[in-house]
């Protein structure tokens, strides 16, 4: 007759070490989840703040003081590309003039 398999023996010390390891891992996971939860709370506050600001901007009447300022800024924007084009054409002309003179 064959002898039965004795199986695996786990001592009390090994079991205790495994439980301590699992407990430490669980503590780390709980800590990370707490920090994620806190970040989500801060994020939801920020989103609510931005949402309220957007709603306030959308509710402003069309004739508010912001519209003339935006129009002024849009008008002041056009000279920059024009000045850049004039400088580029001038430098190209100067380069060709110098190349032709040599």
């Amino acid at each position: 007759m064959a002898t039965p398999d004795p199986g695996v023996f786990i001592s009390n010390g090994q079991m205790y070490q495994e439980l301590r390891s699992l407990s430490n891992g669980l503590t780390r996971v709980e800590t990370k989840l707490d920090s994620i939860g806190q970040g989500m709370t801060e994020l939801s506050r920020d989103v609510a703040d931005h949402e309220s600001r957007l709603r306030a901007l959308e509710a402003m009447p069309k004739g508010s003081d912001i519209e003339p300022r935006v129009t002024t800024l849009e008008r002041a924007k056009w000279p920059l590309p024009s000045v850049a084009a004039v400088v580029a054409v001038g430098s190209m002309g100067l380069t060709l003039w110098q190349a032709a003179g040599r």
Side-chain angles (χ1 to χ4, degrees), residues 9-82:
F9 177 75
I10 300 174
S11 70
N12 289 337
Q14 290 172 327
M15 185 64 77
Y16 176 76
Q17 288 294 15
E18 186 65 26
L19 285 174
R20 292 295 297 163
S21 172
L22 287 173
S23 175
N24 290 341
L26 185 60
T27 301
R28 286 194 309 269
V29 169
E30 286 176 345
T31 303
K32 287 180 182 180
L33 285 175
D34 288 342
S35 66
I36 289 172
Q38 183 180 8
M40 292 298 288
T41 302
E42 292 173 4
L43 182 64
S44 66
R45 262 189 268 133
D46 288 346
V47 168
D49 180 50
H50 290 295
E51 189 69 26
S52 65
R53 289 182 185 192
L54 283 174
R55 297 286 181 234
L57 284 175
E58 289 173 350
M60 291 179 82
K62 287 289 183 184
S64 68
D65 67 334
I66 211 167
E67 193 169 329
R69 291 176 16 198
V70 170
T71 306
T72 304
L73 286 173
E74 287 175 348
R75 277 193 208 129
K77 189 176 84 171
W78 75 267
L80 295 177
S82 302

